[in-house]
Amino acid sequence: MVLTSLFCQMISFCCQLGNECINANAKYCGECIQAGAKCGWCKDPGFLKQGETVSTRCDEMESLIKRGCDKGMIENPRGEQRTLKNKAVTHRRKGADKLKPEDITQIQPQKLSLTLRSGEPQSFDLKFKRAEDYPIDLYYLMDLSYSMKDDLENVKNLGTSLMLEMSKITSDFKIGFGSFVEKTVMPYISTTPAKLLNPCTGDQNCTSPFSYKNVLRLTSDGKKFNTLVGQQHISGNLDSPEGGFDAIMQVAVCGEQIGWRNVTRLLVFSTDAGFHFAGDGKLGGIVLPNDGKCHLENNVYTMSHYYDYPSIAHLVQKLSDNNIQTIFAVTEEFQPVYQELKNLIPKSAVGTLSANSSNVINLIIDAYNSLSSEVILENSKLPEGLTIAYISRCKNGVVSEGENGRKCSNISIGDEVTFSISVTSKGCPKKGKSETIKIKPLGFTEEVEITLNFICECECHKDGVKNSPLCHFGNGTYECGACKCNEKRVGRQCECSSNDVATEDMDRTCRKDNGTDICSNNGDCVCGTCECKKRDNPEERYSGQYCECDNFNCDRSGNKLCGGHGRCECRVCVCDPMWTGSACDCSLDNSTCMASNKQICNGRGTCECGMCKCTDPKFQGPTCETCPTCPGVCIEHKECVQCRAFGTGEKKDKCEKDCSYFNLIKVKDRDKLPQPNDASYPLMHCKERDANDCWFYYTYAVNNNTEKEVHVVDTLDCPTGPDIIPIVAGVVAGIVLIGLALLLIWKLLMIIHDRREFAKFEKEKMNAKWDTGENPIYKSAVTTVVNPKYEGK
């Protein structure tokens, strides 16, 4: 918690350091409102406290109001925008009434006026829609060096074929033709007289070398194109790279000679070689940079020997300024080179040049479809401090920001896309209060013209009084509630010269009670008046005649200055209504002490600073309504303790909703439960029985933090059931033992009975008188024979 609090304080401190209004240290209203969109200027003459600097009038709106400035006395002008021309985009189909190019609208709006406040963005939506049947101008610029001989034959029939194919796209199509070779100086060409007449070798009849010729101005007559192109002859030069950049520059800037209209402009550049660019002219002794102007005489470029080749960047600028989209039709060998060039030239394409005229037409149409299916917005040069942000809303709900927010791809004819454009200014431009910028889609002639006006002064500036007597005998202009001092004058009322701001006499008036500390070491003595220092935290301020007061050294409560219920004035808390105390931490509102029975502290305590102090020791809680040791407490909380501790009871289905009002702490056995002598607050021991006749034990108490605590033994004390095995074993053993005992008793009785009968028999035997003589009939079964020879030995 300590780390979290520290972290929050650091975040708050960093945010405060970022208060651009305070950091601007503005001396007048206009300077203040240029510091940021949130900055306001309090023009109330009595707003400043003693010791506060003029720049203290400049702050965020909420802070100024909080410090006592009436909202009506705060200068806070806002920007605005007006649409001056908003012609709807053209909705029509091919075959409809033919329109002039200037009557076709593909971008909306066309003209805006924005009034910008520093730091406050002004946003508007720009709509773009590709028009059906839009006119197209195509200029075919061809390399006529000897290696392009075969390609020239293919181009001779290009006019009528291309007119036929382009009629499927637009009913208004014009085509032109131009050619180039190289600069007519060494070492690019041979300057011997014979070679100047015929640069080709052998029996080949070639025309003289030239830099660039405009052979055919843009025309809608395809047959004328075929005728004039058929009259062209191949020329030649010495090195492999050609002077195509000179030709492209002239095609771009010589709009009148080429015949460009304000429609879609396509330039097809056909070659089988590389190109020279800026700096290569030094080989021929040409050092003057290309001037980017038209130098055609009789449709021939006459300054190739005088000006160097244009740079790529210069070429990109001119192509963009003249809305020309370039298609590079080159051989496969040089495709990688021109692919890199394409990446540097926006709205350009590269195709493979083949020996078949129909393939050339397909290349042009495919490249046109590729270029026209993508719209890329660009803006003119921006004034210093101005930024533009783009957000594109393209087909299928695709939204992009940043650099990708400038463009939309895969746009078909009739598709409508929207760009959200935000313009933001930082400060005011140095040149003036009005600027004009333009935004347009690359390759299109239409554009949005935006007039920018900047809010550099407050409204109250108009009512300023120059040389006002309020500014020390006219040493400044009194405007917006403060003096704007003349040059070399300082002070709140411009009362001092800048050369006399620090003298011993003036310092004396800045010492409190003739002490040694100037402005209590919390400010500077300016013109005999203390101007207090600013704190790193803009919310903290020194004030007072000697800067002896501040608004941050008051008592705190809950880590808040004046408890968050008052303001600090000169190191003393001024409390809000219904609050008192040195730190405004004592509430005078008794409503927080009202118990449910509408009695203050339940009639068992007193209300002090909005909190109950219970006089009856048995009662606790914020309103002295909790009695942990009163009868009935155990029954009251039984169901909730049962459901939370064991998941049983009547409230088990709504336990989380009804029984989350206490902290549950489980212990292992009853010895671990808190005892009354161990706790610093009353507690109640409880023993309750559940539906299964199991007992559970717990204690209920309200601790010193007014939190309800329940300690519960986590095992139930349930009655034990009969043990079947011992019972069965006992029964069996009992039966066996009883059986054995009965057998033993029976045996014993039998033995006793037998003995009695035997004794009786013996007695009767003793009394019997039997005849003991021998039976005369009896013959012994034993016969005794004596051996006569036996002598008894």
Side-chain angles (χ1 to χ4, degrees), residues 653-661:
D653 295 330
K654 49 183 179 178
C655 190
E656 186 175 350
K657 178 183 177 182
D658 296 346
C659 300
S660 58
Y661 59 87

Side-chain angles (χ1 to χ4, degrees), residues 553-557 560-563 568 571 573 582-584:
N553 273 321
C554 291
D555 290 343
R556 294 175 178 267
S557 177
K560 292 182 179 179
L561 191 68
C562 297
C568 182
R571 303 185 180 182
C573 284
S582 62
C584 300

Side-chain angles (χ1 to χ4, degrees), residues 420-431:
S420 293
I421 302 173
S422 179
V423 183
T424 308
S425 172
K426 185 63 178 175
C428 286
K430 297 178 181 178
K431 294 183 179 179

Side-chain angles (χ1 to χ4, degrees), residues 518-553:
I518 295 178
C519 299
S520 306
N521 289 328
N522 294 326
D524 301 314
C525 189
V526 180
C527 299
T529 303
C530 284
E531 289 193 356
C532 302
K533 295 178 181 178
K534 291 184 178 180
R535 300 272 297 176
D536 290 335
N537 183 345
E539 298 297 325
E540 299 177 354
R541 292 180 176 84
Y542 291 109
S543 61
Q545 181 180 355
Y546 304 101
C547 301
E548 75 279 11
C549 295
D550 62 60
N551 66 345
F552 54 87
N553 273 321

Side-chain angles (χ1 to χ4, degrees), residues 308-453:
D308 192 6
Y309 303 98
S311 66
I312 295 176
H314 195 186
L315 211 57
V316 169
Q317 178 192 347
K318 292 300 180 181
L319 289 171
S320 175
D321 290 345
N322 293 281
N323 306 308
I324 296 173
Q325 304 175 65
T326 311
I327 301 171
F328 296 104
V330 298
T331 55
E332 190 172 351
E333 177 187 358
F334 283 93
Q335 276 228 341
V337 175
Y338 282 90
Q339 191 67 43
E340 291 297 324
L341 182 61
K342 167 192 172 296
N343 295 334
L344 299 174
I345 301 179
K347 294 289 282 186
S348 61
V350 177
T352 303
L353 186 65
S354 64
N356 191 319
S357 61
S358 63
N359 289 340
V360 175
I361 295 174
N362 291 334
L363 184 156
I364 293 173
I365 293 176
D366 290 344
Y368 166 73
N369 289 331
S370 173
L371 290 172
S372 60
S373 67
E374 183 177 56
V375 58
I376 302 174
L377 296 185
E378 69 165 0
N379 50 264
S380 58
K381 186 178 180 181
L382 301 177
E384 184 180 357
L386 197 76
T387 58
I388 295 184
Y390 296 86
I391 299 176
S392 61
R393 293 177 174 85
C394 309
K395 289 176 64 177
N396 302 322
V398 177
V399 178
S400 301
E401 299 182 12
E403 280 303 308
N404 290 330
R406 290 175 175 265
K407 62 183 179 181
C408 282
S409 303
N410 301 320
I411 302 175
S412 303
I413 291 174
D415 287 342
E416 190 175 286
V417 296
T418 304
F419 296 87
S420 293
I421 302 173
S422 179
V423 183
T424 308
S425 172
K426 185 63 178 175
C428 286
K430 297 178 181 178
K431 294 183 179 179
K433 294 185 178 180
S434 180
E435 296 277 355
T436 300
I437 61 172
K438 295 180 179 180
I439 299 176
K440 68 175 184 177
L442 277 173
F444 294 86
T445 57
E446 297 172 71
E447 61 188 13
V448 181
E449 182 180 307
I450 304 173
T451 302
L452 304 175
N453 300 299

